Amino acid sequence: SVKSSVGPRLQRRTGLAILDTDEMVASSLGMSIPEIFSRHGEKKFRKAETETLRTLSTTKRAVIATGGGMVLRKENMEILKRLGPIVWLDGNEETLFARVSRKTDRPLLRTKNPRKAFSQILDERRPLYAKIADIRIDTSELTGEEGAPAILRKVKKANSKGASPYHRQIMTQVPTSDK
């Protein structure tokens, strides 16, 4: 996915730490995301996401990479806004579906019709991202290599327009991860 390929490139270009909330949740619960969904359900995973967000500091500079469902809880959206500006990695539906289909461990896409499930997930999440994002990047035509410079250009442009300096960059996408 673009999220997983852009994060390391942003780290190399900025020197900032990458904090992947999906990895943090999996680590805190001692199991993979699919295992969490299978054993405990989506509700437990979403609660763990919120708990993970609560541990993040507004003073430590970092790039935070979230799963696509992070915006499903209002509290998460409030926390994300406090942590810093939000960069939404969007794309056209076909491209996003092709990207998520490369992995078979997507719990919310384990259905008889994953394409339809994906479309419903996207329809639910896009308005939430549109509401919360400070910057939107259309990744439909971007490679992972092109994503980091595109993000940094938009952040720099936003800063040059008199926006308050970005202390953190929050990178998230809809939903190249169904987590």
Side-chain angles (χ1 to χ4, degrees):
S1 73
V2 172
K3 179 186 94 167
S4 58
S5 63
V6 169
R9 288 176 171 95
L10 279 172
Q11 183 175 32
R12 281 195 300 275
R13 288 175 174 265
T14 65
L16 297 174
I18 302 294
L19 304 175
D20 186 313
T21 58
D22 284 344
E23 290 176 8
M24 294 169 74
V25 167
S27 176
S28 72
L29 296 178
M31 61 187 85
S32 70
I33 304 295
E35 283 180 289
I36 296 166
F37 272 75
S38 175
R39 292 184 186 181
H40 304 288
E42 183 178 3
K43 189 174 182 178
K44 169 85 171 182
F45 176 76
R46 299 291 171 214
K47 183 178 179 191
E49 275 185 324
T50 302
E51 290 168 3
T52 296
L53 276 182
R54 287 182 190 142
T55 69
L56 300 179
S57 166
T58 57
T59 58
K60 182 182 175 196
R61 292 172 44 94
V63 175
I64 301 170
T66 70
M70 184 63 79
V71 296
L72 295 174
R73 296 179 98 184
K74 186 177 180 187
E75 180 181 356
N76 292 353
M77 291 182 17
E78 292 166 357
I79 294 170
L80 288 171
K81 279 303 223 184
R82 281 196 305 269
L83 289 172
I86 298 165
V87 177
W88 169 24
L89 302 182
D90 194 16
N92 67 52
E93 186 170 335
E94 295 75 28
T95 301
L96 295 177
F97 182 71
R99 289 176 183 157
V100 300
S101 297
R102 291 182 200 138
K103 284 190 163 186
T104 58
D105 66 344
R106 307 278 183 185
L108 296 179
L109 297 181
R110 289 184 179 164
T111 67
K112 288 183 181 181
N113 189 340
R115 182 70 178 88
K116 182 178 179 183
F118 180 82
S119 186
Q120 291 170 338
I121 289 168
L122 194 60
D123 288 347
E124 176 186 19
R125 295 176 184 180
R126 267 200 166 129
L128 299 172
Y129 277 97
K131 181 178 177 180
I132 192 174
D134 298 297
I135 296 170
R136 179 186 170 270
I137 307 276
D138 184 342
T139 65
S140 301
E141 304 295 324
L142 296 179
T143 64
E145 189 66 41
E146 297 165 329
I151 290 168
L152 294 173
R153 275 192 305 274
K154 288 227 180 176
V155 168
K156 185 177 181 179
K157 185 177 178 181
N159 282 339
S160 70
K161 289 183 176 180
S164 60
Y166 286 132
H167 299 292
R168 304 177 75 99
Q169 297 160 321
I170 298 175
M171 177 182 58
T172 191
Q173 56 193 27
V174 175
T176 62
S177 165
D178 67 343
K179 301 169 204 145

